[in-house]
Amino acid sequence: MTDHTEGRSRQSDEIARLIASAGPRRAPAPQIEQSVRAAVEQAWISSAGRRRGRRRALLWLASAASVTLMSAGLLWFALHRPLTSISADATLLATRGTVTVTAAHDKQLIVAGSRLPVGTTVDTARDGFVLMTVAAESMRLGPDSRLRIGRGGHVSLSRGRIYVETVDRRHFGPPLLVDTPFGRVSHLGTQFQVVVSGGAMAVSVRSGHVRVSESAGREQRLAAGQEVEVWNGGEVRHMKVLPYGAAWAWADSLLPDFPINGRPLSDFLAWYTHEMGLKLVLVGPKTAAAVRRTLLSGSIAGLTPGQALAAVMASTHFVYDQDVPGELRIRMRSRTVAHD
Amino acid sequence: MHEEDLKLVSRLMSRDQAAFQEFFDDYFPRLFRFTLRRVNDDQDDARDIVQAAMTRGVRRLETYRGEASLFTWLCQITRRELFDHLSRLARERTYVHRLVELEDDPENRAVLESIPADADTQPEVLAHRDDLAARVHAALDYLPSRYAKVLELKYLEDLPMEAIATRLGVSVIAVQSLLARARQAFRDIGSTLLPSAGGA
């Protein structure tokens, strides 16, 4: 054996000794990993949506500039073709109450962070709520519900209620489809809920648009503030729905985690009002700038939306009220100075 | 350039769910350990800081240029979150571990952050011997994850080459090559954090 070879062998022995004596690296506790995964995945989903939207807008401008070189068909293809394949798997982000998953005929209790492969059925009891992603879309499953994860972004709701928040799916590929015994619901970037109960399906749109394809073959498009009920016998009823209030309360009770640590108050308020379907009103000429300058610390994990709002606002120099329906009004405390 | 990291970031920006799993499974444990060493082993603090850092990271993916490894880039974000956190708690210097000082020393950081996937450079030696296990773990965390994995399979789990090949889904020859590069990278990092492992 040459000196060089012996030297390398000694080094390998030393590396082996070091690694063996150090033992395995410490793994984060599963509950910590799951909670962080859920929060980071939510942030990734929302930011990926905004990023792709911006990129597509730029592509559109570029296409428009050279439109004389393109046929209408090519332009349509550029706008509608899938940019990437999206996994149809689901991830469970959080649960409350009793939730059971059935995969491959085995029922088991599930924990946050679980992957839910195609074919999985999720059942919630009367106290059960689920926050999950399906094909990279944010979805909430309400009490007394049954949802099956299908292929290609399909989910089937046989009973109960789901709330879906998506980005504009034209930018990403096939839309997430919600199948029910009464028809199919698809969307183009929206917040909506579907309720299957008592011989009818109700679809309510909080923002954006959805398309409802009834089992009978009829199709209709709903905009924000519209609700439709499709009954067993084919009867269809149209109603109006406010973007806030009791109709959405169940979904608002299980919000995705929003890490506030180090972020401006303006981010939290934008998130809160978006989630609750409210309009943010900043009262006073200097409030908007002051809200952007106010940095938050701590965490609102585990709090209800109302508790989170109260806790965050109590730590700032601002007060809020919801005296006007549909609005969250923010103003500086009377003794607050502009540079706070 | 860190081409593999750039590909992963590109996939993340394309909203590839598998890429997110890969990203999180690879980087979260390493960042968590990176942070734990800096917060006196406080798991709650580490969780908050890593969550904030990774959240910030996925929101700013378009700013990653591949000049440093993705782990290094995430460590930089984590350091800023850590600094903010420590500033808020007003206890900055009370529990900063010697190892952390060593890792965060600008000179050592330059060495650690310059380790590419196939590095063959030898950084200068710094001799510090306390807390050996923590240093070994830190060194493994700084390695590309497949290097750390193959070293652990070989020297910690004591698996034969064939079993490692099966575990990694590659050929035995590929494992031998990977192991050689992993040992070299470990020596490069080890000469900074683990003097007894480095040097020819």
Side-chain angles (χ1 to χ4, degrees):
Chain A
M1 191 180 287
T2 65
D3 289 347
H4 178 71
T5 307
E6 286 176 2
R8 295 189 70 81
S9 177
R10 273 199 307 276
Q11 285 176 20
S12 293
D13 290 347
E14 182 64 10
I15 290 171
R17 188 188 65 76
L18 282 169
I19 292 174
S21 65
R25 286 178 286 174
R26 183 177 177 181
Q31 63 270 29
I32 289 178
E33 177 173 343
Q34 286 152 9
S35 69
V36 175
R37 182 191 294 273
V40 176
E41 187 164 6
Q42 279 291 318
W44 169 67
I45 287 170
S46 61
S47 62
R50 286 196 299 272
R51 188 178 296 120
R52 183 48 63 91
R54 288 198 299 270
R55 186 184 304 178
R56 179 55 73 183
L58 290 173
L59 283 175
W60 164 250
L61 288 172
S63 299
S66 58
V67 70
T68 54
L69 301 175
M70 301 173 70
S71 71
L74 281 174
L75 189 59
W76 185 94
F77 180 77
L79 287 170
H80 290 79
R81 71 182 171 84
L83 288 177
T84 181
S85 62
I86 293 178
S87 162
D89 276 2
T91 302
L92 184 135
L93 301 179
T95 64
R96 197 169 67 219
T98 308
V99 178
T100 307
V101 62
T102 307
H105 310 295
D106 292 329
K107 280 199 172 184
Q108 55 189 11
L109 290 177
I110 50 177
V111 296
S114 299
R115 307 298 299 173
L116 306 176
V118 169
T120 299
T121 300
V122 181
D123 285 285
T124 58
R126 294 179 66 177
D127 63 341
F129 290 86
V130 176
L131 177 65
M132 62 202 299
T133 62
V134 177
E137 303 287 18
S138 177
M139 185 178 291
R140 296 166 218 179
L141 185 64
D144 212 6
S145 302
R146 169 169 287 183
L147 185 79
R148 186 176 184 278
I149 311 298
R151 294 191 182 281
H154 286 221
V155 295
S156 298
L157 180 73
S158 51
R159 69 165 189 273
R161 56 187 63 209
I162 61 168
Y163 176 89
V164 181
E165 177 163 357
T166 74
V167 295
D168 188 339
R169 296 293 298 193
R170 287 175 303 180
H171 301 325
F172 299 106
L176 186 141
L177 300 174
V178 181
D179 286 320
T180 78
F182 305 93
R184 168 175 288 181
V185 184
S186 58
H187 61 88
L188 295 171
T190 184
Q191 296 167 294
F192 70 97
Q193 69 174 331
V194 181
V195 180
V196 174
S197 177
M201 167 182 74
V203 181
S204 315
V205 184
R206 198 172 201 176
S207 68
H209 294 84
V210 301
R211 184 180 297 117
V212 179
S213 307
E214 298 169 39
S215 301
R218 288 170 299 193
E219 188 171 292
Q220 52 192 306
R221 186 180 167 110
L222 300 180
Q226 293 183 320
E227 180 175 293
V228 65
E229 285 181 0
V230 180
W231 288 79
N232 245 340
E235 183 186 355
V236 175
R237 298 177 191 163
H238 288 274
M239 287 160 283
K240 291 186 176 179
V241 63
L242 293 169
Y244 56 88
W248 312 95
W250 74 270
D252 295 341
S253 70
L254 188 65
L255 295 183
D257 189 23
F258 183 80
I260 61 169
N261 217 10
R263 299 180 67 175
L265 176 60
S266 52
D267 279 8
F268 169 77
L269 292 173
W271 168 80
Y272 179 84
T273 51
H274 172 77
E275 290 288 350
M276 305 301 288
L278 299 172
K279 179 184 176 186
L280 178 62
V281 179
L282 301 172
V283 180
K286 296 176 180 175
T287 305
V291 160
R292 283 196 298 272
R293 286 198 304 269
T294 301
L295 292 179
L296 304 175
S297 62
S299 168
I300 56 171
L303 300 181
T304 66
Q307 290 169 338
L309 179 65
V312 166
M313 298 308 292
S315 68
T316 69
H317 297 300
F318 302 89
V319 292
Y320 70 97
D321 70 69
Q322 293 181 267
D323 297 341
V324 178
E327 290 186 359
L328 176 68
R329 298 168 66 84
I330 307 292
R331 59 171 56 85
M332 288 196 279
R333 291 184 201 276
S334 55
R335 287 188 301 170
T336 301
V337 292
H339 62 267
D340 281 343
Chain B
M1 295 295 283
H2 294 260
E3 298 295 342
E4 288 190 17
D5 290 348
L6 280 169
K7 283 180 190 167
L8 178 60
V9 168
S10 174
R11 289 170 58 211
L12 283 168
M13 291 172 66
S14 298
R15 226 178 185 216
D16 181 336
Q17 186 82 34
F20 179 80
Q21 299 308 319
E22 194 179 314
F23 167 77
F24 190 87
D25 292 345
D26 188 358
Y27 291 100
F28 171 69
R30 296 158 72 188
L31 289 171
F32 190 76
R33 287 187 289 268
F34 174 89
T35 308
L36 265 183
R37 293 194 288 271
R38 291 158 170 78
V39 292
N40 208 23
D41 222 31
D42 186 320
Q43 300 214 23
D44 290 336
D45 281 355
R47 178 197 57 209
D48 292 346
I49 290 165
V50 175
Q51 179 171 313
M54 292 190 80
T55 298
R56 192 177 293 264
V58 297
R59 288 197 171 105
R60 301 177 54 206
L61 288 171
E62 65 271 19
T63 66
Y64 177 69
R65 302 284 179 236
E67 289 142 356
S69 73
L70 187 55
F71 182 63
T72 295
W73 185 74
L74 289 166
C75 284
Q76 288 167 349
I77 296 173
T78 306
R79 280 191 184 92
R80 283 195 284 275
E81 293 293 338
L82 188 72
F83 179 79
D84 291 345
H85 181 79
L86 294 174
S87 299
R88 278 193 293 273
L89 296 178
R91 60 188 196 197
E92 289 177 53
R93 301 298 295 175
T94 57
Y95 58 61
V96 177
H97 193 278
R98 180 78 187 106
L99 170 62
V100 172
E101 291 179 338
L102 191 64
E103 281 184 68
D104 287 348
D105 176 89
E107 192 173 6
N108 291 349
R109 274 177 55 192
V111 172
L112 293 168
E113 292 168 1
S114 70
I115 302 293
D118 297 306
D120 57 2
T121 56
Q122 288 283 350
E124 57 188 308
V125 174
L126 296 173
H128 298 279
R129 292 180 180 277
D130 58 328
D131 205 355
L132 188 60
R135 286 162 186 261
V136 171
H137 293 162
L140 289 170
D141 279 340
Y142 271 104
L143 291 177
S145 57
R146 67 185 188 283
Y147 286 4
K149 182 75 177 170
V150 76
L151 286 172
E152 288 183 323
L153 290 173
K154 174 70 178 167
Y155 298 125
L156 196 59
E157 297 190 28
D158 202 22
L159 294 180
M161 289 295 194
E162 292 77 10
I164 296 174
T166 302
R167 190 81 74 89
L168 298 180
V170 297
S171 68
V172 171
I173 291 174
V175 170
Q176 289 169 341
S177 170
L178 184 63
L179 194 56
R181 282 180 279 138
R183 277 195 295 251
Q184 181 61 55
F186 187 84
R187 279 186 208 106
D188 292 342
I189 291 179
S191 63
T192 298
L193 291 179
L194 297 157
S196 59

